[in-house]
Amino acid sequence: MFKNYIKGGLRVLGDYAAALLVYVILLYTFIAITGDNFLNWLPVYSFLMFAIMALFLYSDFWRLAAKEKKPQYNLKPYPLKGLVFGLIGILPLPVIKIIDIFIVFGDELGDKLKGMIVDGVIFGPLYFCLKLFEKNALGYIIALLLVPLLTMAAYMLGYYDIKLGKVLGIKKDVVYEKKQTLSPWNPAVKALEQEKNKKKKKKQQL
């Protein structure tokens, strides 16, 4: 069971890392577009990356919940299991921030650069929340809780088999109609077979 929680936590961390990778790859382009207004627009860019991360988490943990509900896996799922996965997966971020607080270069430029790397890059998809709360302790706590809350919501939706796209009216279930097959005992089937046999006999006689 403990192994299952570690795997779930690593999956959360993987989704965060994937969103962070997209954040870093597109960051230079974003800087080139915004120019001198880069810092003013950074929270908006951060929120867009947060939305991408939310999509990753929703896709992964919806499917995971649906899978874990199957009795053959014997994983004992429950609605709030996603919250536990999220709390485990996000643990490296507060650890990094604590290390950042205790490491002081004694140089204004060095400390500022260190802060920009931690807050603006490592916390990239959550930066908009830090900026909203002016990077105070409450802002960091709320930012860090956003990921577990998203994971919890995604897992709960999968657990209760609620498809977000269907709820929002974005995606509709496609119903495929199966062609009805007639019973071999149906008189219509027998009549068709007799007709086919007659045609075959006529062809043989010719």
Side-chain angles (χ1 to χ4, degrees):
M1 184 60 72
F2 182 72
K3 188 178 178 182
N4 175 246
Y5 284 111
I6 296 299
K7 281 184 177 180
L10 288 173
R11 190 177 293 221
V12 174
L13 187 60
D15 285 340
Y16 183 86
L20 184 59
L21 183 64
V22 176
Y23 178 93
V24 172
I25 289 170
L26 297 178
L27 187 59
Y28 180 77
T29 304
F30 178 74
I31 293 170
I33 293 169
T34 54
D36 294 337
N37 294 317
F38 163 67
L39 289 176
N40 296 329
W41 284 96
L42 187 58
V44 177
Y45 177 73
S46 169
F47 184 77
L48 291 174
M49 296 303 114
F50 174 79
I52 290 172
M53 180 188 66
L55 289 173
F56 289 160
L57 289 170
Y58 170 73
S59 176
D60 261 1
F61 285 89
W62 195 100
R63 284 181 293 162
L64 182 65
K67 178 184 174 183
E68 289 192 349
K69 276 185 71 180
K70 294 177 181 178
Q72 64 263 35
Y73 293 106
N74 194 29
L75 292 171
K76 299 178 182 178
Y78 52 93
L80 294 178
K81 195 174 183 181
L83 180 63
V84 182
F85 286 148
L87 290 170
I88 293 170
I90 210 67
L91 271 176
L93 289 183
V95 171
I96 290 170
K97 188 58 192 176
I98 290 167
I99 293 169
D100 171 49
I101 292 168
F102 282 101
I103 294 176
V104 179
F105 293 125
D107 175 26
E108 188 180 347
L109 182 61
D111 288 333
K112 190 175 181 180
L113 184 62
K114 175 174 63 73
M116 286 177 63
I117 291 169
V118 173
D119 295 340
V121 179
I122 296 174
F123 276 77
L126 304 172
Y127 179 80
F128 73 96
C129 188
L130 302 182
K131 187 67 176 176
L132 185 65
F133 289 91
E134 297 181 351
K135 299 183 183 180
N136 58 26
L138 180 62
Y140 282 99
I141 292 168
I142 292 173
L144 290 169
L145 286 175
L146 284 176
V147 176
L149 288 173
L150 280 173
T151 311
M152 178 188 72
Y155 193 92
M156 284 182 73
L157 288 169
Y159 184 86
Y160 291 112
D161 195 25
I162 300 170
K163 294 180 180 178
L164 197 58
K166 189 179 177 183
V167 172
L168 297 174
I170 299 169
K171 189 177 180 181
K172 294 181 180 179
D173 289 337
V174 180
V175 180
Y176 296 96
E177 291 184 4
K178 291 183 178 180
K179 190 177 179 181
Q180 189 176 1
T181 54
L182 297 173
S183 169
W185 306 106
N186 193 311
V189 175
K190 289 183 178 181
L192 286 169
E193 286 181 355
Q194 287 174 1
E195 189 67 31
K196 285 179 181 179
N197 290 333
K198 284 180 183 179
K199 285 181 180 179
K200 283 181 180 178
K201 285 179 181 178
K202 284 181 181 179
K203 285 181 179 179
Q204 287 174 358
Q205 287 173 1
L206 292 171

